[in-house]
Amino acid sequence: MAQQTVKFSRTDSAKFFKTLNKRVNNYFKENNIKKTGNWKLYIKAIIMFALLLGPLVVLLTVDLPAWLQVICMMVIGIGMAGVGMNVMHDANHGSFSSKKWVNKLMGSSIHILAGNDYNWKVQHNVLHHTYTNIQGHDEDIDAGRIIRFSKHSKWLKIHQYQKYYAFLLYGLLTVNWAITTDFKQTYQYLKRKLSYGEFPNPATQWTKLIIGKILYYSIWVVLPLVLGYAWWQVLIGFLIMHYTAGIILSVIFQLAHVMPNTEMPLPDQDGNMKNTWAIHQLFTTSNFSPKSWIVEFYTGGLNRQVEHHLFSNISHVHYKNIAKIVRETAHEFSLPYNEYNSIWTAISEHYQQLKELGKKPSMA
C-alpha cells in the first residue's frame, strides 16, 4: 500500500511565520552576526570530543581497576551523546559553520558514533522535521510494537506496562544503530528514493556505510582487543558506552515531542493537514529547562526544540537569544509555545504520557 502524501496548509492569513522570520532575520542583521556557529560552539566541540576520545586513550594506555574502567565507558557514552547533540547535529543541518566542507567534516563524526550521515539526514531532516509527530511519516515516534508513542498506534496489552520498561529500553537506541538500523534504513530509503539534497548513488552509499561501520568497529571493538582487553571486557564496555548514550539521547528526544502538551495530528483522507508547516511545529514540539545553563550547554540547545524546529538552519548557540522573539510572536498570534521549566518536570510529564498511552483506548 502506497504511503499517503501529506500536504500542509498554505493558508496563513495572519502571516505568522512571515512575521517571525522577518523578526529573527532582523535580530541577526542588527547585531551583525552569522546564523552559524561561533567560537562558543567550537570550544564546546573540543570539550565534547575530549569527553568521547579522552577516556578511550586512557583505557588503552593505563592499567585501571575495573570500577574506573566502567566510569570511563560511561564518560565515553556521555561524550558520544554530547558530540551527537552539539557537533554532528548542527553540522548535518548545515549550521555548524558557514563553510560547507567544515559541516561535512563535522557531520561525518556520526560514523564514529555508530550512525550514518545519509540515513540520519533522511530520518531527521526530511521525515522528522517535515512531518513532526505525524503517525506513519515521522519515524521518531515509531518504536515498533514494544512502545506506544502515539494514540494513533495500535494498542497492545504489553503497553499498559510501558511506563515501567520504556526508560530501560531507551538505552538500546545507539546499540540498534550500530548493529541493524543503518542497514535497514539504507535499504528502505534508497528503495523509496529519499534523500536530503542530491540523491546518492546506491553503490556509493552502501560502500560508505560499510566503510563507516569498519571504522566504527575498529575504534570501539578491534583496537581494545588488539591492545589486550578480553572479549568479554570489550563487550561489557561497549554495552555500557552505548546504553549511557542511548538513555541520554532517547530521553532528550522524547521530551520534545511525546508529551501531554504536544499534539499528534493526522491529515484528512486527502492528505491535507489543518495547519501550515510552521504552525504545525508549535503544536507538536515542546521546550524544557530554558533557564538551565548546564542543560542548554550539554544538549546542544535541544532543550529549545521549538526554536530548532522553526529554524534548523540556525546554530543552537543562538537559540537562547531568539527564544524571546519566537515566544512573543507565538503569543501575539494566539499560538501555543510549549515549555516546561525544568528537565525533571518534563521527565515526569513524559512518564505520565507513557502511562496515558499505555491505557487501553476507549471503544467509544
PDB file of all heavy atoms in Angstrom, residues 4-5 7 266-273:
ATOM      1  N   GLN A   4       0.528   7.591   2.096  1.00  0.00           N
ATOM      2  CA  GLN A   4      -0.244   8.790   1.789  1.00  0.00           C
ATOM      3  C   GLN A   4       0.660  10.021   1.712  1.00  0.00           C
ATOM      4  O   GLN A   4       1.563  10.200   2.518  1.00  0.00           O
ATOM      5  CB  GLN A   4      -1.310   9.000   2.873  1.00  0.00           C
ATOM      6  CG  GLN A   4      -2.225  10.197   2.616  1.00  0.00           C
ATOM      7  CD  GLN A   4      -3.176  10.440   3.775  1.00  0.00           C
ATOM      8  OE1 GLN A   4      -2.793  10.304   4.934  1.00  0.00           O
ATOM      9  NE2 GLN A   4      -4.413  10.760   3.468  1.00  0.00           N
ATOM     10  N   THR A   5       0.415  10.847   0.715  1.00  0.00           N
ATOM     11  CA  THR A   5       1.156  12.096   0.583  1.00  0.00           C
ATOM     12  C   THR A   5       0.545  13.146   1.502  1.00  0.00           C
ATOM     13  O   THR A   5      -0.663  13.386   1.470  1.00  0.00           O
ATOM     14  CB  THR A   5       1.120  12.609  -0.866  1.00  0.00           C
ATOM     15  OG1 THR A   5       1.714  11.634  -1.726  1.00  0.00           O
ATOM     16  CG2 THR A   5       1.874  13.922  -0.995  1.00  0.00           C
ATOM     17  N   LYS A   7       0.136  16.994   2.796  1.00  0.00           N
ATOM     18  CA  LYS A   7       0.260  18.371   2.307  1.00  0.00           C
ATOM     19  C   LYS A   7      -0.151  19.331   3.431  1.00  0.00           C
ATOM     20  O   LYS A   7      -1.270  19.243   3.945  1.00  0.00           O
ATOM     21  CB  LYS A   7      -0.625  18.578   1.074  1.00  0.00           C
ATOM     22  CG  LYS A   7      -0.298  17.641  -0.079  1.00  0.00           C
ATOM     23  CD  LYS A   7      -1.224  17.858  -1.262  1.00  0.00           C
ATOM     24  CE  LYS A   7      -2.622  17.332  -0.998  1.00  0.00           C
ATOM     25  NZ  LYS A   7      -2.701  15.854  -0.944  1.00  0.00           N
ATOM     26  N   LEU A 266      -3.295  14.180  12.531  1.00  0.00           N
ATOM     27  CA  LEU A 266      -3.288  13.358  11.325  1.00  0.00           C
ATOM     28  C   LEU A 266      -3.870  14.147  10.155  1.00  0.00           C
ATOM     29  O   LEU A 266      -4.710  15.033  10.341  1.00  0.00           O
ATOM     30  CB  LEU A 266      -4.126  12.096  11.528  1.00  0.00           C
ATOM     31  CG  LEU A 266      -3.565  11.021  12.467  1.00  0.00           C
ATOM     32  CD1 LEU A 266      -4.575   9.882  12.606  1.00  0.00           C
ATOM     33  CD2 LEU A 266      -2.235  10.494  11.961  1.00  0.00           C
ATOM     34  N   PRO A 267      -3.452  13.852   8.942  1.00  0.00           N
ATOM     35  CA  PRO A 267      -4.046  14.505   7.768  1.00  0.00           C
ATOM     36  C   PRO A 267      -5.448  13.959   7.525  1.00  0.00           C
ATOM     37  O   PRO A 267      -5.801  12.885   8.035  1.00  0.00           O
ATOM     38  CB  PRO A 267      -3.091  14.104   6.638  1.00  0.00           C
ATOM     39  CG  PRO A 267      -2.508  12.801   7.081  1.00  0.00           C
ATOM     40  CD  PRO A 267      -2.373  12.911   8.569  1.00  0.00           C
ATOM     41  N   ASP A 268      -6.246  14.682   6.759  1.00  0.00           N
ATOM     42  CA  ASP A 268      -7.571  14.168   6.403  1.00  0.00           C
ATOM     43  C   ASP A 268      -7.429  13.090   5.337  1.00  0.00           C
ATOM     44  O   ASP A 268      -6.307  12.721   4.951  1.00  0.00           O
ATOM     45  CB  ASP A 268      -8.501  15.305   5.959  1.00  0.00           C
ATOM     46  CG  ASP A 268      -8.017  16.025   4.694  1.00  0.00           C
ATOM     47  OD1 ASP A 268      -7.231  15.437   3.918  1.00  0.00           O
ATOM     48  OD2 ASP A 268      -8.430  17.175   4.475  1.00  0.00           O
ATOM     49  N   GLN A 269      -8.526  12.590   4.846  1.00  0.00           N
ATOM     50  CA  GLN A 269      -8.485  11.478   3.891  1.00  0.00           C
ATOM     51  C   GLN A 269      -7.789  11.840   2.583  1.00  0.00           C
ATOM     52  O   GLN A 269      -7.350  10.963   1.829  1.00  0.00           O
ATOM     53  CB  GLN A 269      -9.905  10.982   3.597  1.00  0.00           C
ATOM     54  CG  GLN A 269     -10.818  12.030   2.991  1.00  0.00           C
ATOM     55  CD  GLN A 269     -12.232  11.511   2.783  1.00  0.00           C
ATOM     56  OE1 GLN A 269     -12.559  10.396   3.203  1.00  0.00           O
ATOM     57  NE2 GLN A 269     -13.069  12.298   2.123  1.00  0.00           N
ATOM     58  N   ASP A 270      -7.669  13.144   2.322  1.00  0.00           N
ATOM     59  CA  ASP A 270      -6.987  13.597   1.104  1.00  0.00           C
ATOM     60  C   ASP A 270      -5.520  13.954   1.365  1.00  0.00           C
ATOM     61  O   ASP A 270      -4.824  14.436   0.470  1.00  0.00           O
ATOM     62  CB  ASP A 270      -7.707  14.810   0.514  1.00  0.00           C
ATOM     63  CG  ASP A 270      -9.122  14.475   0.050  1.00  0.00           C
ATOM     64  OD1 ASP A 270      -9.292  13.403  -0.567  1.00  0.00           O
ATOM     65  OD2 ASP A 270     -10.033  15.275   0.322  1.00  0.00           O
ATOM     66  N   GLY A 271      -5.070  13.736   2.608  1.00  0.00           N
ATOM     67  CA  GLY A 271      -3.681  14.019   2.944  1.00  0.00           C
ATOM     68  C   GLY A 271      -3.412  15.450   3.368  1.00  0.00           C
ATOM     69  O   GLY A 271      -2.249  15.847   3.508  1.00  0.00           O
ATOM     70  N   ASN A 272      -4.469  16.228   3.581  1.00  0.00           N
ATOM     71  CA  ASN A 272      -4.297  17.638   3.936  1.00  0.00           C
ATOM     72  C   ASN A 272      -4.216  17.829   5.450  1.00  0.00           C
ATOM     73  O   ASN A 272      -5.011  17.271   6.207  1.00  0.00           O
ATOM     74  CB  ASN A 272      -5.467  18.472   3.395  1.00  0.00           C
ATOM     75  CG  ASN A 272      -5.532  18.434   1.886  1.00  0.00           C
ATOM     76  OD1 ASN A 272      -4.542  18.656   1.199  1.00  0.00           O
ATOM     77  ND2 ASN A 272      -6.711  18.129   1.346  1.00  0.00           N
ATOM     78  N   MET A 273      -3.229  18.621   5.871  1.00  0.00           N
ATOM     79  CA  MET A 273      -3.094  18.967   7.279  1.00  0.00           C
ATOM     80  C   MET A 273      -3.843  20.260   7.568  1.00  0.00           C
ATOM     81  O   MET A 273      -3.974  21.129   6.697  1.00  0.00           O
ATOM     82  CB  MET A 273      -1.624  19.132   7.649  1.00  0.00           C
ATOM     83  CG  MET A 273      -0.783  17.872   7.499  1.00  0.00           C
ATOM     84  SD  MET A 273      -1.316  16.503   8.555  1.00  0.00           S
ATOM     85  CE  MET A 273      -1.022  17.195  10.205  1.00  0.00           C
TER      86      MET A 273
END
